[in-house]
């Protein structure tokens, strides 16, 4: 089955309101009318509304960087799915390695967030990936399998199909070091195999798997040419509209 490529920008903890508006305008100008690739930008919570106003009439969709699984209540600092929906959010990044590393995200909390997101119609972008130490010590497959199984545990096939997986080797994030296209593709094939075991070959064939980790205009084309690489989750290079555009439409 042909999978449509999906490029998403993860702005992380960058952009004040004015910076976000300028970046969103730049993205819309550069790629807003492209329809053969799915495109999303994921600004910080504080800029979601303003960015939505700028992108809403274009093909660029809005994503958030995290969400809390509870619907409402005394959870200081947290944001719910309904709140995200109410400001125009379509996608939500869940289980980013920075969340796992610094903020106590576990496979169990990832699973709760994925279920909450699906319950309210949001489209999860689920991040998985090994550290350098895990790769070197031969634990990579076990780690990725645990993360994928944890995230998708108890999901219906219908909900699983609404998820995107982002394979982001931790050693490649923000380091300038990129997985080779072969390393990325091998990991994606492995992940697809897990989805196949959990759901079916058909589901595994339909689900999109993005690569993330120092993807840039000059390496995107080669990565995206691989059979199992269905897009990218872009950090650093998504903060410049021209670089992001160079990944969406590599020359
Ligand atoms: P990077 O980040 O492109 O800056 O490596 C990717 C990510 O963390 O999603």
């Amino acid at each position: 089955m042909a999978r449509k490529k999906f490029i998403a920008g993860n702005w992380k903890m960058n952009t004040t309101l004015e910076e976000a508006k300028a970046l969103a305008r730049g993205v819309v100008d550069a790629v807003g009318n492209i329809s053969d690739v799915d495109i999303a930008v994921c600004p910080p919570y504080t800029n979601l509304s303003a960015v939505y106003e700028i992108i809403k009439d274009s093909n660029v969709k809005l994503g958030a960087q995290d969400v809390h699984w509870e619907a409402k209540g005394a959870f200081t600092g947290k944001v719910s799915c309904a709140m995200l929906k109410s400001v125009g959010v379509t996608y939500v990044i869940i289980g980013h390695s920075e969340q796992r590393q610094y903020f106590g995200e576990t496979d169990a909390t990832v699973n709760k967030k994925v279920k909450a997101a699906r319950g309210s119609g949001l489209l999860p972008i689920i991040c998985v990936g090994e550290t350098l130490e895990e790769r070197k010590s031969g634990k990579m497959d076990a780690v990725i399998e645990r993360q994928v199984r944890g995230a998708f545990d108890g999901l219906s096939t219908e909900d699983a199909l609404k998820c995107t997986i982002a394979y982001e080797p931790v050693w490649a994030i923000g380091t300038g070091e990129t997985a080779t296209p072969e390393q990325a593709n091998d990991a994606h094939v492995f992940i697809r195999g897990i989805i196949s075991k959990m759901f079916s070959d058909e589901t595994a064939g339909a689900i999109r798997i993005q690569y993330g980790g120092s993807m840039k205009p000059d390496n995107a084309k080669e990565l995206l040419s691989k059979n199992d690489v269905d897009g990218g989750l872009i950090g650093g290079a998504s903060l410049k509209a021209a670089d992001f555009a160079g990944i969406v439409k590599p020359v």
Side-chain angles (χ1 to χ4, degrees):
M1 181 189 294
R3 294 177 296 266
K4 191 175 181 185
K5 295 263 195 275
F6 176 24
I7 307 289
N10 173 10
W11 295 2
K12 306 195 180 186
M13 198 174 75
N14 296 292
T15 67
T16 59
L17 180 59
E18 290 312 316
E19 288 165 352
K21 288 200 250 182
L23 180 53
R25 275 187 214 107
V27 170
V28 168
D29 287 348
V31 298
N33 59 3
I34 288 180
S35 55
D36 55 348
V37 178
D38 284 337
I39 304 165
V41 291
C42 307
Y45 291 139
T46 47
N47 300 330
L48 287 170
S49 270
V51 168
Y52 181 67
E53 285 307 311
I54 292 165
I55 66 176
K56 66 182 180 194
D57 296 322
S58 77
N59 287 328
V60 180
K61 297 277 184 266
L62 190 62
Q65 299 174 18
D66 189 23
V67 70
H68 189 53
W69 58 83
E70 293 287 351
K72 60 157 84 172
F75 302 101
T76 302
K78 297 297 174 223
V79 167
S80 73
C81 295
M83 293 171 190
L84 296 181
K85 293 271 292 182
S86 74
V87 293
V89 169
T90 299
Y91 296 98
V92 59
I93 298 172
I94 296 175
H96 191 279
S97 66
E98 287 148 17
Q99 275 289 127
R100 294 180 192 258
Q101 249 182 304
Y102 308 132
F103 304 111
E105 186 93 275
T106 65
D107 295 325
T109 57
V110 168
N111 185 249
K112 285 192 201 186
K113 291 175 180 182
V114 171
K115 284 177 176 159
R118 285 310 307 136
S120 55
L122 291 168
L123 305 178
I125 299 174
I126 300 166
C127 302
V128 300
E130 81 289 358
T131 63
L132 190 56
E133 206 221 310
E134 288 161 347
R135 176 175 275 262
K136 282 187 174 159
S137 61
K139 295 196 194 112
M140 173 181 165
D141 286 1
V143 167
I144 292 176
E145 179 146 10
R146 194 202 72 223
Q147 291 173 336
V148 173
R149 285 190 176 274
F152 283 87
D153 184 44
L155 250 63
S156 67
T157 298
E158 197 190 353
D159 282 336
L161 285 168
K162 300 284 185 191
C163 297
T164 298
I165 299 171
Y167 167 62
E168 301 206 304
V170 178
W171 47 271
I173 295 178
T175 57
E177 204 175 317
T178 322
T180 64
E182 291 70 29
Q183 283 173 326
N185 201 65
D186 287 352
H188 290 210
V189 168
F190 177 69
I191 290 166
R192 223 179 279 291
I194 303 165
I195 296 297
S196 172
K197 282 188 273 176
M198 290 185 78
F199 296 94
S200 67
D201 282 352
E202 203 190 348
T203 305
I207 206 160
R208 291 189 292 195
I209 307 178
Q210 298 172 319
Y211 167 78
S214 300
M215 199 191 260
K216 298 189 167 52
D218 62 7
N219 61 28
K221 194 172 181 179
E222 221 193 329
L223 284 158
L224 293 169
S225 73
K226 289 289 172 188
N227 207 33
D228 284 276
V229 179
D230 306 317
L233 183 56
I234 321 299
S238 72
L239 295 172
K240 286 201 183 120
D243 287 352
F244 187 63
I247 295 171
V248 172
K249 40 176 188 183
V251 280

